[in-house]
Amino acid sequence: IKKHLAAGDIVIELGTSIGFNAITIAKINTGKVVTYEANPGLMSLIQKNQQLNNVSFEVRNKILVTDPAAPLRIAFNIAKNPCMSSSKQFILKEQVMKEVRDVETEYAGTVFDRLLPTFLVVDIEGGEEDFFRNVDLVAKSTIQKILLEIHPEIIGDEACRTVVNNLLQAGFVVVSQSDDETVLFFKRKS
């Protein structure tokens, strides 16, 4: 984030968790970030972390969807370790499910038109497979940069390749990636 985020960027983050990335973003771009966290149990912790770090940003307890026909609510699996919570059902040895909650959805097309984001940060524990299925929406948006963590242990290698290929076909290129190739930074082709 620090390497690629400019002070003027408007950011949408999917998967706030405790707010670490959003706090970093808010310090760089003075709070021009709207973040989505589906786990209602993390809302008070995110607010506390904002206060401790003297930053402010909007947190929406919703799931952002790219399908205009998506249900108004989606089942969200809350794990004992909040970093393992997901809209996907999966079993890993380190994941212990706590509960399932229905979480309100919000259509990304409306959000993109209203906020005009330039940077998208995505870490949604396998939800990237569904979010990037309709990449036309992202391709037609004002988004210029995408920082994406993919989760092959949840959705499989083939689904991860599909997510990446969809973004490439939407006019983005991979600029950098982590050593394990699970965190990718994309930029729109000029």
PDB file of all heavy atoms in Angstrom, residues 56-88:
ATOM      1  N   SER A  56      -9.798   8.707  10.531  1.00  0.00           N
ATOM      2  CA  SER A  56     -11.225   8.489  10.374  1.00  0.00           C
ATOM      3  C   SER A  56     -11.485   8.034   8.940  1.00  0.00           C
ATOM      4  O   SER A  56     -10.921   8.587   7.992  1.00  0.00           O
ATOM      5  CB  SER A  56     -11.981   9.783  10.663  1.00  0.00           C
ATOM      6  OG  SER A  56     -13.362   9.576  10.484  1.00  0.00           O
ATOM      7  N   PHE A  57     -12.297   7.006   8.809  1.00  0.00           N
ATOM      8  CA  PHE A  57     -12.726   6.532   7.502  1.00  0.00           C
ATOM      9  C   PHE A  57     -14.063   5.828   7.683  1.00  0.00           C
ATOM     10  O   PHE A  57     -14.422   5.416   8.783  1.00  0.00           O
ATOM     11  CB  PHE A  57     -11.692   5.603   6.850  1.00  0.00           C
ATOM     12  CG  PHE A  57     -11.215   4.478   7.731  1.00  0.00           C
ATOM     13  CD1 PHE A  57     -11.915   3.289   7.840  1.00  0.00           C
ATOM     14  CD2 PHE A  57     -10.033   4.619   8.456  1.00  0.00           C
ATOM     15  CE1 PHE A  57     -11.464   2.261   8.647  1.00  0.00           C
ATOM     16  CE2 PHE A  57      -9.568   3.597   9.268  1.00  0.00           C
ATOM     17  CZ  PHE A  57     -10.290   2.412   9.364  1.00  0.00           C
ATOM     18  N   GLU A  58     -14.789   5.705   6.593  1.00  0.00           N
ATOM     19  CA  GLU A  58     -16.104   5.074   6.644  1.00  0.00           C
ATOM     20  C   GLU A  58     -15.965   3.557   6.579  1.00  0.00           C
ATOM     21  O   GLU A  58     -15.277   3.030   5.707  1.00  0.00           O
ATOM     22  CB  GLU A  58     -16.961   5.562   5.485  1.00  0.00           C
ATOM     23  CG  GLU A  58     -18.368   4.999   5.523  1.00  0.00           C
ATOM     24  CD  GLU A  58     -19.247   5.485   4.386  1.00  0.00           C
ATOM     25  OE1 GLU A  58     -18.848   6.399   3.643  1.00  0.00           O
ATOM     26  OE2 GLU A  58     -20.356   4.919   4.258  1.00  0.00           O
ATOM     27  N   VAL A  59     -16.649   2.876   7.485  1.00  0.00           N
ATOM     28  CA  VAL A  59     -16.676   1.416   7.513  1.00  0.00           C
ATOM     29  C   VAL A  59     -18.110   0.973   7.277  1.00  0.00           C
ATOM     30  O   VAL A  59     -19.018   1.400   7.988  1.00  0.00           O
ATOM     31  CB  VAL A  59     -16.190   0.851   8.867  1.00  0.00           C
ATOM     32  CG1 VAL A  59     -16.187  -0.670   8.832  1.00  0.00           C
ATOM     33  CG2 VAL A  59     -14.821   1.386   9.227  1.00  0.00           C
ATOM     34  N   ARG A  60     -18.302   0.123   6.290  1.00  0.00           N
ATOM     35  CA  ARG A  60     -19.641  -0.397   5.995  1.00  0.00           C
ATOM     36  C   ARG A  60     -19.671  -1.885   6.347  1.00  0.00           C
ATOM     37  O   ARG A  60     -18.865  -2.659   5.835  1.00  0.00           O
ATOM     38  CB  ARG A  60     -19.984  -0.190   4.523  1.00  0.00           C
ATOM     39  CG  ARG A  60     -20.069   1.288   4.170  1.00  0.00           C
ATOM     40  CD  ARG A  60     -20.427   1.514   2.729  1.00  0.00           C
ATOM     41  NE  ARG A  60     -20.463   2.949   2.455  1.00  0.00           N
ATOM     42  CZ  ARG A  60     -20.711   3.465   1.260  1.00  0.00           C
ATOM     43  NH1 ARG A  60     -20.982   2.681   0.225  1.00  0.00           N
ATOM     44  NH2 ARG A  60     -20.713   4.780   1.095  1.00  0.00           N
ATOM     45  N   ASN A  61     -20.606  -2.251   7.190  1.00  0.00           N
ATOM     46  CA  ASN A  61     -20.783  -3.650   7.585  1.00  0.00           C
ATOM     47  C   ASN A  61     -21.666  -4.328   6.535  1.00  0.00           C
ATOM     48  O   ASN A  61     -22.828  -4.642   6.769  1.00  0.00           O
ATOM     49  CB  ASN A  61     -21.394  -3.723   8.981  1.00  0.00           C
ATOM     50  CG  ASN A  61     -21.547  -5.137   9.491  1.00  0.00           C
ATOM     51  OD1 ASN A  61     -22.432  -5.401  10.294  1.00  0.00           O
ATOM     52  ND2 ASN A  61     -20.715  -6.057   9.063  1.00  0.00           N
ATOM     53  N   LYS A  62     -21.083  -4.497   5.350  1.00  0.00           N
ATOM     54  CA  LYS A  62     -21.790  -5.053   4.196  1.00  0.00           C
ATOM     55  C   LYS A  62     -20.800  -5.851   3.350  1.00  0.00           C
ATOM     56  O   LYS A  62     -19.593  -5.761   3.549  1.00  0.00           O
ATOM     57  CB  LYS A  62     -22.371  -3.931   3.327  1.00  0.00           C
ATOM     58  CG  LYS A  62     -23.392  -3.061   4.028  1.00  0.00           C
ATOM     59  CD  LYS A  62     -23.880  -1.965   3.114  1.00  0.00           C
ATOM     60  CE  LYS A  62     -24.906  -1.089   3.817  1.00  0.00           C
ATOM     61  NZ  LYS A  62     -25.428  -0.050   2.932  1.00  0.00           N
ATOM     62  N   ILE A  63     -21.348  -6.571   2.376  1.00  0.00           N
ATOM     63  CA  ILE A  63     -20.539  -7.262   1.381  1.00  0.00           C
ATOM     64  C   ILE A  63     -20.780  -6.561   0.054  1.00  0.00           C
ATOM     65  O   ILE A  63     -21.926  -6.456  -0.410  1.00  0.00           O
ATOM     66  CB  ILE A  63     -20.924  -8.754   1.283  1.00  0.00           C
ATOM     67  CG1 ILE A  63     -20.635  -9.462   2.614  1.00  0.00           C
ATOM     68  CG2 ILE A  63     -20.181  -9.424   0.125  1.00  0.00           C
ATOM     69  CD1 ILE A  63     -21.126 -10.900   2.681  1.00  0.00           C
ATOM     70  N   LEU A  64     -19.722  -6.060  -0.570  1.00  0.00           N
ATOM     71  CA  LEU A  64     -19.829  -5.397  -1.860  1.00  0.00           C
ATOM     72  C   LEU A  64     -19.885  -6.477  -2.944  1.00  0.00           C
ATOM     73  O   LEU A  64     -19.043  -7.376  -2.961  1.00  0.00           O
ATOM     74  CB  LEU A  64     -18.641  -4.464  -2.084  1.00  0.00           C
ATOM     75  CG  LEU A  64     -18.792  -3.449  -3.208  1.00  0.00           C
ATOM     76  CD1 LEU A  64     -19.906  -2.446  -2.896  1.00  0.00           C
ATOM     77  CD2 LEU A  64     -17.484  -2.695  -3.436  1.00  0.00           C
ATOM     78  N   VAL A  65     -20.879  -6.388  -3.823  1.00  0.00           N
ATOM     79  CA  VAL A  65     -21.072  -7.401  -4.867  1.00  0.00           C
ATOM     80  C   VAL A  65     -21.061  -6.758  -6.246  1.00  0.00           C
ATOM     81  O   VAL A  65     -21.456  -5.603  -6.409  1.00  0.00           O
ATOM     82  CB  VAL A  65     -22.394  -8.181  -4.652  1.00  0.00           C
ATOM     83  CG1 VAL A  65     -22.347  -8.986  -3.364  1.00  0.00           C
ATOM     84  CG2 VAL A  65     -23.599  -7.247  -4.653  1.00  0.00           C
ATOM     85  N   THR A  66     -20.612  -7.523  -7.239  1.00  0.00           N
ATOM     86  CA  THR A  66     -20.569  -7.009  -8.611  1.00  0.00           C
ATOM     87  C   THR A  66     -21.721  -7.526  -9.461  1.00  0.00           C
ATOM     88  O   THR A  66     -21.862  -7.110 -10.604  1.00  0.00           O
ATOM     89  CB  THR A  66     -19.230  -7.372  -9.286  1.00  0.00           C
ATOM     90  OG1 THR A  66     -19.034  -8.784  -9.195  1.00  0.00           O
ATOM     91  CG2 THR A  66     -18.080  -6.637  -8.637  1.00  0.00           C
ATOM     92  N   ASP A  67     -22.531  -8.402  -8.911  1.00  0.00           N
ATOM     93  CA  ASP A  67     -23.687  -8.928  -9.622  1.00  0.00           C
ATOM     94  C   ASP A  67     -24.921  -8.128  -9.212  1.00  0.00           C
ATOM     95  O   ASP A  67     -25.338  -8.174  -8.053  1.00  0.00           O
ATOM     96  CB  ASP A  67     -23.874 -10.411  -9.267  1.00  0.00           C
ATOM     97  CG  ASP A  67     -25.072 -11.038  -9.955  1.00  0.00           C
ATOM     98  OD1 ASP A  67     -25.812 -10.342 -10.685  1.00  0.00           O
ATOM     99  OD2 ASP A  67     -25.269 -12.250  -9.756  1.00  0.00           O
ATOM    100  N   PRO A  68     -25.529  -7.403 -10.156  1.00  0.00           N
ATOM    101  CA  PRO A  68     -26.698  -6.597  -9.793  1.00  0.00           C
ATOM    102  C   PRO A  68     -27.884  -7.445  -9.331  1.00  0.00           C
ATOM    103  O   PRO A  68     -28.783  -6.951  -8.667  1.00  0.00           O
ATOM    104  CB  PRO A  68     -27.027  -5.824 -11.074  1.00  0.00           C
ATOM    105  CG  PRO A  68     -26.354  -6.560 -12.168  1.00  0.00           C
ATOM    106  CD  PRO A  68     -25.195  -7.287 -11.575  1.00  0.00           C
ATOM    107  N   ALA A  69     -27.869  -8.743  -9.656  1.00  0.00           N
ATOM    108  CA  ALA A  69     -28.960  -9.630  -9.239  1.00  0.00           C
ATOM    109  C   ALA A  69     -28.600 -10.413  -7.970  1.00  0.00           C
ATOM    110  O   ALA A  69     -29.323 -11.337  -7.595  1.00  0.00           O
ATOM    111  CB  ALA A  69     -29.285 -10.599 -10.373  1.00  0.00           C
ATOM    112  N   ALA A  70     -27.522 -10.034  -7.308  1.00  0.00           N
ATOM    113  CA  ALA A  70     -27.118 -10.729  -6.078  1.00  0.00           C
ATOM    114  C   ALA A  70     -28.200 -10.574  -5.018  1.00  0.00           C
ATOM    115  O   ALA A  70     -28.924  -9.579  -4.994  1.00  0.00           O
ATOM    116  CB  ALA A  70     -25.799 -10.154  -5.563  1.00  0.00           C
ATOM    117  N   PRO A  71     -28.305 -11.555  -4.123  1.00  0.00           N
ATOM    118  CA  PRO A  71     -29.286 -11.436  -3.034  1.00  0.00           C
ATOM    119  C   PRO A  71     -29.003 -10.199  -2.166  1.00  0.00           C
ATOM    120  O   PRO A  71     -27.868  -9.720  -2.110  1.00  0.00           O
ATOM    121  CB  PRO A  71     -29.074 -12.714  -2.219  1.00  0.00           C
ATOM    122  CG  PRO A  71     -28.172 -13.586  -2.996  1.00  0.00           C
ATOM    123  CD  PRO A  71     -27.522 -12.768  -4.049  1.00  0.00           C
ATOM    124  N   LEU A  72     -30.030  -9.714  -1.498  1.00  0.00           N
ATOM    125  CA  LEU A  72     -29.877  -8.551  -0.625  1.00  0.00           C
ATOM    126  C   LEU A  72     -29.072  -8.878   0.630  1.00  0.00           C
ATOM    127  O   LEU A  72     -28.548  -7.993   1.295  1.00  0.00           O
ATOM    128  CB  LEU A  72     -31.251  -7.995  -0.234  1.00  0.00           C
ATOM    129  CG  LEU A  72     -32.089  -7.477  -1.401  1.00  0.00           C
ATOM    130  CD1 LEU A  72     -33.456  -7.024  -0.904  1.00  0.00           C
ATOM    131  CD2 LEU A  72     -31.362  -6.354  -2.118  1.00  0.00           C
ATOM    132  N   ARG A  73     -28.991 -10.169   0.955  1.00  0.00           N
ATOM    133  CA  ARG A  73     -28.206 -10.633   2.099  1.00  0.00           C
ATOM    134  C   ARG A  73     -27.488 -11.916   1.692  1.00  0.00           C
ATOM    135  O   ARG A  73     -28.043 -12.722   0.957  1.00  0.00           O
ATOM    136  CB  ARG A  73     -29.082 -10.871   3.318  1.00  0.00           C
ATOM    137  CG  ARG A  73     -29.829  -9.602   3.771  1.00  0.00           C
ATOM    138  CD  ARG A  73     -30.627  -9.803   5.033  1.00  0.00           C
ATOM    139  NE  ARG A  73     -29.838  -9.756   6.253  1.00  0.00           N
ATOM    140  CZ  ARG A  73     -29.301  -8.665   6.793  1.00  0.00           C
ATOM    141  NH1 ARG A  73     -29.453  -7.510   6.192  1.00  0.00           N
ATOM    142  NH2 ARG A  73     -28.619  -8.707   7.912  1.00  0.00           N
ATOM    143  N   ILE A  74     -26.269 -12.083   2.191  1.00  0.00           N
ATOM    144  CA  ILE A  74     -25.465 -13.270   1.895  1.00  0.00           C
ATOM    145  C   ILE A  74     -24.995 -13.865   3.214  1.00  0.00           C
ATOM    146  O   ILE A  74     -24.611 -13.143   4.142  1.00  0.00           O
ATOM    147  CB  ILE A  74     -24.236 -12.898   1.021  1.00  0.00           C
ATOM    148  CG1 ILE A  74     -24.682 -12.456  -0.373  1.00  0.00           C
ATOM    149  CG2 ILE A  74     -23.267 -14.069   0.920  1.00  0.00           C
ATOM    150  CD1 ILE A  74     -23.542 -12.016  -1.283  1.00  0.00           C
ATOM    151  N   ALA A  75     -24.985 -15.196   3.269  1.00  0.00           N
ATOM    152  CA  ALA A  75     -24.471 -15.882   4.452  1.00  0.00           C
ATOM    153  C   ALA A  75     -22.964 -15.634   4.554  1.00  0.00           C
ATOM    154  O   ALA A  75     -22.235 -15.773   3.578  1.00  0.00           O
ATOM    155  CB  ALA A  75     -24.750 -17.383   4.361  1.00  0.00           C
ATOM    156  N   PHE A  76     -22.524 -15.249   5.743  1.00  0.00           N
ATOM    157  CA  PHE A  76     -21.109 -14.973   5.992  1.00  0.00           C
ATOM    158  C   PHE A  76     -20.660 -15.844   7.160  1.00  0.00           C
ATOM    159  O   PHE A  76     -21.260 -15.820   8.231  1.00  0.00           O
ATOM    160  CB  PHE A  76     -20.896 -13.485   6.311  1.00  0.00           C
ATOM    161  CG  PHE A  76     -19.450 -13.113   6.424  1.00  0.00           C
ATOM    162  CD1 PHE A  76     -18.662 -13.018   5.297  1.00  0.00           C
ATOM    163  CD2 PHE A  76     -18.879 -12.873   7.664  1.00  0.00           C
ATOM    164  CE1 PHE A  76     -17.318 -12.675   5.389  1.00  0.00           C
ATOM    165  CE2 PHE A  76     -17.543 -12.529   7.778  1.00  0.00           C
ATOM    166  CZ  PHE A  76     -16.759 -12.431   6.641  1.00  0.00           C
ATOM    167  N   ASN A  77     -19.617 -16.622   6.925  1.00  0.00           N
ATOM    168  CA  ASN A  77     -19.092 -17.570   7.901  1.00  0.00           C
ATOM    169  C   ASN A  77     -18.066 -16.878   8.784  1.00  0.00           C
ATOM    170  O   ASN A  77     -17.002 -16.479   8.307  1.00  0.00           O
ATOM    171  CB  ASN A  77     -18.453 -18.758   7.181  1.00  0.00           C
ATOM    172  CG  ASN A  77     -19.427 -19.418   6.235  1.00  0.00           C
ATOM    173  OD1 ASN A  77     -20.388 -20.023   6.674  1.00  0.00           O
ATOM    174  ND2 ASN A  77     -19.204 -19.265   4.945  1.00  0.00           N
ATOM    175  N   ILE A  78     -18.390 -16.725  10.053  1.00  0.00           N
ATOM    176  CA  ILE A  78     -17.502 -16.038  10.994  1.00  0.00           C
ATOM    177  C   ILE A  78     -16.662 -17.086  11.723  1.00  0.00           C
ATOM    178  O   ILE A  78     -17.197 -17.979  12.379  1.00  0.00           O
ATOM    179  CB  ILE A  78     -18.296 -15.170  11.979  1.00  0.00           C
ATOM    180  CG1 ILE A  78     -19.061 -14.104  11.181  1.00  0.00           C
ATOM    181  CG2 ILE A  78     -17.374 -14.541  13.013  1.00  0.00           C
ATOM    182  CD1 ILE A  78     -20.015 -13.267  12.000  1.00  0.00           C
ATOM    183  N   ALA A  79     -15.359 -16.971  11.565  1.00  0.00           N
ATOM    184  CA  ALA A  79     -14.429 -17.916  12.178  1.00  0.00           C
ATOM    185  C   ALA A  79     -13.959 -17.392  13.525  1.00  0.00           C
ATOM    186  O   ALA A  79     -14.036 -16.195  13.810  1.00  0.00           O
ATOM    187  CB  ALA A  79     -13.234 -18.134  11.259  1.00  0.00           C
ATOM    188  N   LYS A  80     -13.477 -18.298  14.347  1.00  0.00           N
ATOM    189  CA  LYS A  80     -12.912 -17.901  15.641  1.00  0.00           C
ATOM    190  C   LYS A  80     -11.774 -16.913  15.424  1.00  0.00           C
ATOM    191  O   LYS A  80     -11.660 -15.909  16.122  1.00  0.00           O
ATOM    192  CB  LYS A  80     -12.427 -19.146  16.395  1.00  0.00           C
ATOM    193  CG  LYS A  80     -12.030 -18.880  17.812  1.00  0.00           C
ATOM    194  CD  LYS A  80     -11.760 -20.176  18.544  1.00  0.00           C
ATOM    195  CE  LYS A  80     -11.391 -19.855  19.984  1.00  0.00           C
ATOM    196  NZ  LYS A  80     -11.122 -21.085  20.740  1.00  0.00           N
ATOM    197  N   ASN A  81     -10.923 -17.177  14.443  1.00  0.00           N
ATOM    198  CA  ASN A  81      -9.900 -16.217  14.016  1.00  0.00           C
ATOM    199  C   ASN A  81     -10.551 -15.333  12.962  1.00  0.00           C
ATOM    200  O   ASN A  81     -10.835 -15.793  11.857  1.00  0.00           O
ATOM    201  CB  ASN A  81      -8.699 -16.951  13.423  1.00  0.00           C
ATOM    202  CG  ASN A  81      -7.678 -16.013  12.801  1.00  0.00           C
ATOM    203  OD1 ASN A  81      -7.897 -14.811  12.684  1.00  0.00           O
ATOM    204  ND2 ASN A  81      -6.562 -16.564  12.390  1.00  0.00           N
ATOM    205  N   PRO A  82     -10.830 -14.062  13.277  1.00  0.00           N
ATOM    206  CA  PRO A  82     -11.576 -13.209  12.343  1.00  0.00           C
ATOM    207  C   PRO A  82     -10.927 -13.096  10.969  1.00  0.00           C
ATOM    208  O   PRO A  82     -11.605 -12.831   9.988  1.00  0.00           O
ATOM    209  CB  PRO A  82     -11.622 -11.851  13.028  1.00  0.00           C
ATOM    210  CG  PRO A  82     -10.924 -11.974  14.324  1.00  0.00           C
ATOM    211  CD  PRO A  82     -10.446 -13.372  14.486  1.00  0.00           C
ATOM    212  N   CYS A  83      -9.624 -13.308  10.873  1.00  0.00           N
ATOM    213  CA  CYS A  83      -8.935 -13.232   9.578  1.00  0.00           C
ATOM    214  C   CYS A  83      -9.301 -14.398   8.667  1.00  0.00           C
ATOM    215  O   CYS A  83      -8.957 -14.388   7.493  1.00  0.00           O
ATOM    216  CB  CYS A  83      -7.426 -13.184   9.784  1.00  0.00           C
ATOM    217  SG  CYS A  83      -6.883 -11.692  10.609  1.00  0.00           S
ATOM    218  N   MET A  84      -9.983 -15.394   9.185  1.00  0.00           N
ATOM    219  CA  MET A  84     -10.366 -16.561   8.388  1.00  0.00           C
ATOM    220  C   MET A  84     -11.862 -16.546   8.050  1.00  0.00           C
ATOM    221  O   MET A  84     -12.366 -17.488   7.452  1.00  0.00           O
ATOM    222  CB  MET A  84     -10.030 -17.850   9.150  1.00  0.00           C
ATOM    223  CG  MET A  84      -8.550 -18.033   9.451  1.00  0.00           C
ATOM    224  SD  MET A  84      -7.516 -18.084   7.976  1.00  0.00           S
ATOM    225  CE  MET A  84      -8.037 -19.615   7.255  1.00  0.00           C
ATOM    226  N   SER A  85     -12.569 -15.497   8.407  1.00  0.00           N
ATOM    227  CA  SER A  85     -13.998 -15.393   8.105  1.00  0.00           C
ATOM    228  C   SER A  85     -14.184 -15.172   6.609  1.00  0.00           C
ATOM    229  O   SER A  85     -13.354 -14.536   5.961  1.00  0.00           O
ATOM    230  CB  SER A  85     -14.613 -14.245   8.901  1.00  0.00           C
ATOM    231  OG  SER A  85     -14.483 -14.486  10.285  1.00  0.00           O
ATOM    232  N   SER A  86     -15.287 -15.693   6.056  1.00  0.00           N
ATOM    233  CA  SER A  86     -15.454 -15.648   4.605  1.00  0.00           C
ATOM    234  C   SER A  86     -16.904 -15.880   4.198  1.00  0.00           C
ATOM    235  O   SER A  86     -17.669 -16.522   4.909  1.00  0.00           O
ATOM    236  CB  SER A  86     -14.575 -16.741   3.970  1.00  0.00           C
ATOM    237  OG  SER A  86     -14.746 -16.797   2.577  1.00  0.00           O
ATOM    238  N   SER A  87     -17.235 -15.396   3.004  1.00  0.00           N
ATOM    239  CA  SER A  87     -18.521 -15.737   2.404  1.00  0.00           C
ATOM    240  C   SER A  87     -18.458 -17.139   1.796  1.00  0.00           C
ATOM    241  O   SER A  87     -19.480 -17.718   1.451  1.00  0.00           O
ATOM    242  CB  SER A  87     -18.904 -14.713   1.334  1.00  0.00           C
ATOM    243  OG  SER A  87     -17.927 -14.688   0.314  1.00  0.00           O
ATOM    244  N   LYS A  88     -17.274 -17.669   1.677  1.00  0.00           N
ATOM    245  CA  LYS A  88     -17.062 -19.021   1.155  1.00  0.00           C
ATOM    246  C   LYS A  88     -17.116 -20.025   2.299  1.00  0.00           C
ATOM    247  O   LYS A  88     -16.699 -19.723   3.419  1.00  0.00           O
ATOM    248  CB  LYS A  88     -15.695 -19.135   0.469  1.00  0.00           C
ATOM    249  CG  LYS A  88     -15.538 -18.262  -0.744  1.00  0.00           C
ATOM    250  CD  LYS A  88     -16.350 -18.814  -1.872  1.00  0.00           C
ATOM    251  CE  LYS A  88     -16.009 -18.161  -3.185  1.00  0.00           C
ATOM    252  NZ  LYS A  88     -16.834 -18.652  -4.263  1.00  0.00           N
TER     253      LYS A  88
END
